[in-house]
Amino acid sequence: PYSRASMVAHSLHGILAAAVAVLMYGTNYIPVRKYETFDGAMFQWMMGNGILGYGILAHFFFGGEIINHGLVGGSLWALSNFLVLPVVKLLGLGVGFSLYHVVNLVVGYAVGRFGLLGAPMD
């Protein structure tokens, strides 16, 4: 089905996307260390507006349907983003992010392993 050149091109595209993700991961939190965020509400509001705007544009250009589980997941993600700012201020960037991502990892594992929220069990 796929030619060798096409597979190489897809692989290079994936490696490039992964490299950009590695380099840019977490850069949206850099201003948190320099500026006062108070309770994080304004930061989360602006971040949420940026994500919503991008989602609307992506929906406009690429189409698709709205999935209710995605809305719930996005709401939980927004809540975790809201809570990570006080945690980073309290514990520091290294410990705060480590705690934040350990919780994400454990919850993601539990959803897949035990079939929570309608996900198929692995």
Side-chain angles (χ1 to χ4, degrees), residues 9-99:
H10 280 94
S11 296
L12 289 176
H13 184 254
I15 290 169
L16 178 65
V20 169
V22 164
L23 293 174
M24 300 303 292
Y25 185 75
T27 57
N28 57 322
Y29 294 109
I30 290 173
V32 172
R33 298 293 289 170
K34 187 173 181 182
Y35 299 104
E36 186 63 40
T37 59
F38 302 101
D39 64 353
M42 185 62 174
F43 178 83
Q44 177 57 30
W45 178 253
M46 291 302 178
M47 187 172 169
N49 282 334
I51 294 167
L52 178 63
Y54 184 82
I56 289 171
L57 285 174
H59 183 74
F60 178 73
F61 285 111
F62 302 114
E65 62 182 282
I66 296 174
I67 302 170
N68 291 332
H69 282 102
L71 295 175
V72 172
S75 299
L76 291 173
W77 183 53
L79 177 65
S80 71
N81 280 335
F82 181 75
L83 295 175
V84 77
L85 295 175
V87 169
V88 166
K89 286 289 187 182
L90 180 68
L91 301 176
L93 199 57
V95 175
F97 262 178
S98 295
L99 178 65

Side-chain angles (χ1 to χ4, degrees), residues 109-121:
Y109 171 78
V111 167
R113 177 70 172 95
F114 303 115
L116 305 176
L117 303 173
M121 286 179 56

